[in-house]
Amino acid sequence: MEKLISHESFEAPKNAAPKKANGKLQWYFAGGFLMFWGLLFFAIVIPLFYRLPTAMTMEDANKNVFIAERAYRNLYTLSNIGTKVTGSTENEIEAVNFIMKEVTQIQKDCLKDYFDLEIDLSQVSGGFPYKTVLNTYQGAQNIAVKLAPKNSTSETYLLVNSHFDSKPATPSASDAGFMIVTMLEVLRVIATTMQAIEHPIVFLFNGLEEGSMQASHGFITHHRWAPYCKAVINLDAIGSGGRNVLFQSGPNHPWLAACYKKYIKHPFATSMGEEVFQMGIIPSDSDFRQFNIYGKIPGLDMGQCINGFVYHTKHDTIDVIPRESLQNTGDNALSLVRGLANATELHNTEAHKTGRAVYYDFLGLYFFYYSEATGKCLNYVVAGAALILILISIWRMAEASQVTICHVIRWFILVMVIQIISFVLGLALPIVVAYGMDSFGLSLTYYSTPMLIVGLYVCPSLIGLSLPITIYYSLQRNDKISTSYHLQLALHSQAVILALLATSVTALGFRSSYIFVIPLLFYVISLALNLMTILHDLGFAWAAFLKLSQIIPFLYSSYLVYIFIVVMTPMGGRSGSASNRDLFIAVLAAVGTVLSFGFLVPLINTFRRPSFMIFALLATTALSLYMASSTQLGFPYRPKTSGQRVAYLVIVRNKFYDYDGTLSKDESGYLFNFQDRREETPFVGTDVNLTGMVGIKSNCERYMMCGMPLYDYRYVQNRLQSKWLPRSEPVETPDSSNLELLSKTIVNSTTCRFEFNLTGPSHMSIFIQPYEDVIISNWSFERTYLENPPEAPLSYHIYFTYGIDDSPLNFFVECSKPDGDFKVPLFQLGVSWHYIGHEGDTESKKLKSSFPSYSIVSEWPVLYQRYIY
């Protein structure tokens, strides 16, 4: 078979002269060839990805730099306050007091000859639609600190924002205590350094983000400083430790990316991440959207992204945060704040609204930025150059082989078809594996053992890339065109595919097309160098330039995909059971493999017996499948480091009152909203007793909002996968709660007005669903949501949160009915009272204690009552 592969005609050109094995290396060098690229990844990409600067100590305080040690001390104090849920004493009193103490001290230490520092503690109330919910809030606290040049009259401010509240049951050291102390230290350094700033800076410490970004909405729509804020730096987290990534910029203000390039100390950014984030693939959001939507303020959105396993869990503690990570973020924040506070563009940001930016860093060493228009030109030029050089190469092959160009083109078309098949298989085989694993209930096997991704998805992708072209070379019998030329045709085919992808994706308006252009550009460079020398026609000598040229594309492509895998792997544990996140990881691994190895894998045919490499990849895949399915390595969860998120509403008591006031239904139980694909299956064989648990999908067809106290939009989105575990013993809720009908008034012949008074805990939901012949024509809430209701069968959902102000909520609802008959049922109204932070009774505590050590339980008591009016 090897003789057939290397057989050449004696009439072939010089490079096709018959030699033993056509100058191919021994088969065992192929393994070393692939290992080289693997070692390159682990020796360069991984160390640079996790590289952090040396943390500054108090001994460096006189250098006027960010001091990680001081920030770390503040973080220790803030995180030790504990869970800071909006409405709790920890959030509304203790956290506020801590921040006020720090900013007051900074005010005292401020260089008063250079700066004016003003502190404003305010409460905000309001509402806005978000996803399927209308967010309504009152008494949310904001601490705004304005640092301005002495006697400044400037009306252009820079806004810097983060939040100090937390999700239930987490000390929130990273999300976002980390950013709060970073802001404090940045404020301290600027205020105490004799370095002028041109524009005032507003540091906003907001106390209600986790509900759905309410406090930032309140600031940007109500605060007296908000109209003067012209750009924002938003700091948040979806992980803990490591570097902070820029994942949103602008929009349509490329000068911000230019400022990032100019001032950033430790670049880490990708506009591809921005596009992925804005597609909704990442199950998170940030205050950045509020400033963009309601304040029309452009800016930079940055956050922690590594170790997302601890995000929103009890394990988000200061222990998992290295001081070097604080130094990295602090260096970046301080430099960017100073830079933007002196940016001339801030005077008139609208004049610089000139389109989107393409941006990305290379291994954290250098930051690339250019406008979208420049990116389009670059993409088209590189694609065009690739096609032109390929045509020149084909002409050279025809001349050297003494055949017509048409003859070479015919073979090129055949090779092109083979390469397209390889490309498709390289993308498809990992997806097939992901589907197969999921169908056998083996999702997330890589969750705690990321190295399994190599065997499960990378190796199948390499098999797909290499198998068709290897079979082709073992069967082809062309004696007029040499094997080395055939191999070049395969690489040309890969270039054509990338050129077509780059131009198509660019034409569709995606800035992420640069991921195809980078490997294509360096292939064009190597092809140009080969064409300018005799290497193009000298056997496999052209491979030297090719291999060298692909080092940078390999490093970047593998680095980029590694970023996404690190960020998105933990998200598989909190994306809901309806989402098969294995597909995302499989696609990422496949895309990364195709981009990193697309020009390299065909080169295994420069070695003897390339089929050995394919068998080795098959063996690795088989071994990985075995380990994932039959050993503990494939079990997704580990205590403390990568636990299973178990979210349920404990001691749910549902009471249904009919139109005449009689209680028609009274049930108690536990409502489970499973956060990942495996749902309850990991508890089989453990002490957790889930006997009797049923899905609530059938309830969703009979009752408003499934007849359950769906907590927020995530519960609503995942309602069809939620499950109910009934319990026989009813339990009273911790505090007194009440919905009181204050009045029912006939407004006119077709309209009736109901007024209500609602009291209860800091987190409540109101559900309203009119009957068929009734329209909710007016209410006391935001009208935008009323006029654009969620799609059927969802009802109106008003999610109400209060902070420091716990006064009752008074609201009205007006119903319109054409026949004016208001003595019949008009609408259903459900209220759920969520007692976050309260413990359950003995029975519920027993259930909680039965969960395995790898379970991260999030639960609280709820009362739900449905009325008909």
Side-chain angles (χ1 to χ4, degrees), residues 328-348:
N328 181 92
T329 299
D331 287 346
N332 284 343
L334 177 59
S335 182
L336 279 173
V337 169
R338 274 182 169 157
L340 287 176
N342 289 289
T344 57
E345 292 88 350
L346 220 59
H347 289 294
N348 186 3

Short mmCIF file of all heavy atoms in Angstrom, two decimals, residues 328-348:
data_model
loop_
_atom_site.label_atom_id
_atom_site.label_comp_id
_atom_site.label_asym_id
_atom_site.label_seq_id
_atom_site.Cartn_x
_atom_site.Cartn_y
_atom_site.Cartn_z
N ASN A 328 -3.71 42.11 39.10
CA ASN A 328 -3.97 42.14 37.67
C ASN A 328 -5.16 43.04 37.36
O ASN A 328 -5.08 43.93 36.50
CB ASN A 328 -4.23 40.71 37.18
CG ASN A 328 -4.49 40.64 35.69
OD1 ASN A 328 -3.58 40.45 34.90
ND2 ASN A 328 -5.74 40.80 35.29
N THR A 329 -6.26 42.81 38.07
CA THR A 329 -7.47 43.60 37.82
C THR A 329 -7.26 45.05 38.23
O THR A 329 -7.70 45.97 37.55
CB THR A 329 -8.66 42.99 38.59
OG1 THR A 329 -8.88 41.66 38.12
CG2 THR A 329 -9.92 43.81 38.38
N GLY A 330 -6.59 45.24 39.36
CA GLY A 330 -6.35 46.60 39.84
C GLY A 330 -5.46 47.41 38.90
O GLY A 330 -5.73 48.59 38.63
N ASP A 331 -4.40 46.80 38.40
CA ASP A 331 -3.53 47.48 37.43
C ASP A 331 -4.33 47.93 36.22
O ASP A 331 -4.19 49.07 35.73
CB ASP A 331 -2.41 46.55 36.98
CG ASP A 331 -1.35 46.34 38.06
OD1 ASP A 331 -1.34 47.10 39.04
OD2 ASP A 331 -0.54 45.40 37.91
N ASN A 332 -5.16 47.02 35.71
CA ASN A 332 -5.97 47.33 34.53
C ASN A 332 -6.97 48.44 34.82
O ASN A 332 -7.12 49.39 34.04
CB ASN A 332 -6.70 46.08 34.04
CG ASN A 332 -5.79 45.12 33.30
OD1 ASN A 332 -4.70 45.50 32.88
ND2 ASN A 332 -6.22 43.89 33.15
N ALA A 333 -7.70 48.29 35.94
CA ALA A 333 -8.74 49.26 36.26
C ALA A 333 -8.15 50.65 36.50
O ALA A 333 -8.67 51.66 35.99
CB ALA A 333 -9.52 48.80 37.49
N LEU A 334 -7.07 50.72 37.25
CA LEU A 334 -6.44 52.01 37.55
C LEU A 334 -5.97 52.69 36.27
O LEU A 334 -6.21 53.90 36.06
CB LEU A 334 -5.27 51.82 38.51
CG LEU A 334 -4.47 53.07 38.88
CD1 LEU A 334 -5.35 54.11 39.53
CD2 LEU A 334 -3.30 52.68 39.81
N SER A 335 -5.31 51.95 35.42
CA SER A 335 -4.79 52.53 34.18
C SER A 335 -5.92 52.98 33.25
O SER A 335 -5.86 54.07 32.66
CB SER A 335 -3.90 51.51 33.47
OG SER A 335 -3.35 52.06 32.30
N LEU A 336 -6.97 52.15 33.14
CA LEU A 336 -8.09 52.50 32.26
C LEU A 336 -8.87 53.69 32.79
O LEU A 336 -9.27 54.58 32.02
CB LEU A 336 -9.02 51.29 32.10
CG LEU A 336 -8.59 50.24 31.08
CD1 LEU A 336 -9.51 49.04 31.15
CD2 LEU A 336 -8.59 50.82 29.68
N VAL A 337 -9.12 53.72 34.09
CA VAL A 337 -9.87 54.83 34.67
C VAL A 337 -9.10 56.14 34.46
O VAL A 337 -9.68 57.16 34.05
CB VAL A 337 -10.13 54.59 36.18
CG1 VAL A 337 -10.67 55.85 36.84
CG2 VAL A 337 -11.11 53.44 36.36
N ARG A 338 -7.82 56.13 34.73
CA ARG A 338 -7.01 57.33 34.52
C ARG A 338 -7.02 57.73 33.04
O ARG A 338 -7.14 58.91 32.68
CB ARG A 338 -5.58 57.09 34.99
CG ARG A 338 -5.38 57.36 36.47
CD ARG A 338 -3.95 57.16 36.87
NE ARG A 338 -3.69 57.66 38.21
CZ ARG A 338 -2.69 57.26 38.98
NH1 ARG A 338 -1.86 56.34 38.54
NH2 ARG A 338 -2.52 57.78 40.18
N GLY A 339 -6.87 56.74 32.17
CA GLY A 339 -6.83 57.04 30.74
C GLY A 339 -8.13 57.63 30.23
O GLY A 339 -8.13 58.65 29.53
N LEU A 340 -9.25 57.01 30.59
CA LEU A 340 -10.55 57.50 30.11
C LEU A 340 -10.92 58.82 30.78
O LEU A 340 -11.64 59.63 30.19
CB LEU A 340 -11.63 56.45 30.37
CG LEU A 340 -11.59 55.22 29.46
CD1 LEU A 340 -12.64 54.20 29.87
CD2 LEU A 340 -11.81 55.63 28.01
N ALA A 341 -10.46 59.02 32.02
CA ALA A 341 -10.74 60.28 32.69
C ALA A 341 -10.01 61.45 32.04
O ALA A 341 -10.29 62.61 32.35
CB ALA A 341 -10.36 60.19 34.17
N ASN A 342 -9.08 61.16 31.15
CA ASN A 342 -8.37 62.20 30.41
C ASN A 342 -8.62 62.12 28.91
O ASN A 342 -7.95 62.81 28.13
CB ASN A 342 -6.86 62.10 30.69
CG ASN A 342 -6.50 62.54 32.09
OD1 ASN A 342 -6.57 63.72 32.43
ND2 ASN A 342 -6.13 61.59 32.94
N ALA A 343 -9.56 61.28 28.49
CA ALA A 343 -9.82 61.08 27.06
C ALA A 343 -10.58 62.27 26.48
O ALA A 343 -11.61 62.69 27.01
CB ALA A 343 -10.63 59.80 26.85
N THR A 344 -10.09 62.80 25.40
CA THR A 344 -10.76 63.94 24.75
C THR A 344 -12.10 63.51 24.15
O THR A 344 -13.01 64.32 24.01
CB THR A 344 -9.87 64.52 23.64
OG1 THR A 344 -9.54 63.46 22.70
CG2 THR A 344 -8.58 65.08 24.22
N GLU A 345 -12.22 62.23 23.80
CA GLU A 345 -13.47 61.74 23.20
C GLU A 345 -14.65 61.88 24.15
O GLU A 345 -15.81 61.90 23.71
CB GLU A 345 -13.32 60.27 22.79
CG GLU A 345 -12.37 60.02 21.64
CD GLU A 345 -10.94 59.83 22.10
OE1 GLU A 345 -10.66 60.07 23.31
OE2 GLU A 345 -10.10 59.43 21.28
N LEU A 346 -14.37 61.96 25.45
CA LEU A 346 -15.45 62.03 26.43
C LEU A 346 -16.24 63.33 26.31
O LEU A 346 -17.40 63.39 26.74
CB LEU A 346 -14.88 61.90 27.85
CG LEU A 346 -15.68 61.06 28.84
CD1 LEU A 346 -15.85 59.65 28.34
CD2 LEU A 346 -15.00 61.05 30.20
N HIS A 347 -15.65 64.36 25.73
CA HIS A 347 -16.34 65.64 25.57
C HIS A 347 -17.55 65.50 24.66
O HIS A 347 -18.57 66.16 24.85
CB HIS A 347 -15.39 66.70 25.02
CG HIS A 347 -14.36 67.16 26.00
ND1 HIS A 347 -14.67 67.85 27.14
CD2 HIS A 347 -13.00 66.99 26.00
CE1 HIS A 347 -13.56 68.11 27.82
NE2 HIS A 347 -12.53 67.60 27.15
N ASN A 348 -17.42 64.63 23.65
CA ASN A 348 -18.52 64.45 22.70
C ASN A 348 -18.46 63.03 22.15
O ASN A 348 -17.94 62.80 21.05
CB ASN A 348 -18.43 65.48 21.57
CG ASN A 348 -19.64 65.42 20.63
OD1 ASN A 348 -20.58 64.66 20.85
ND2 ASN A 348 -19.62 66.24 19.59
#
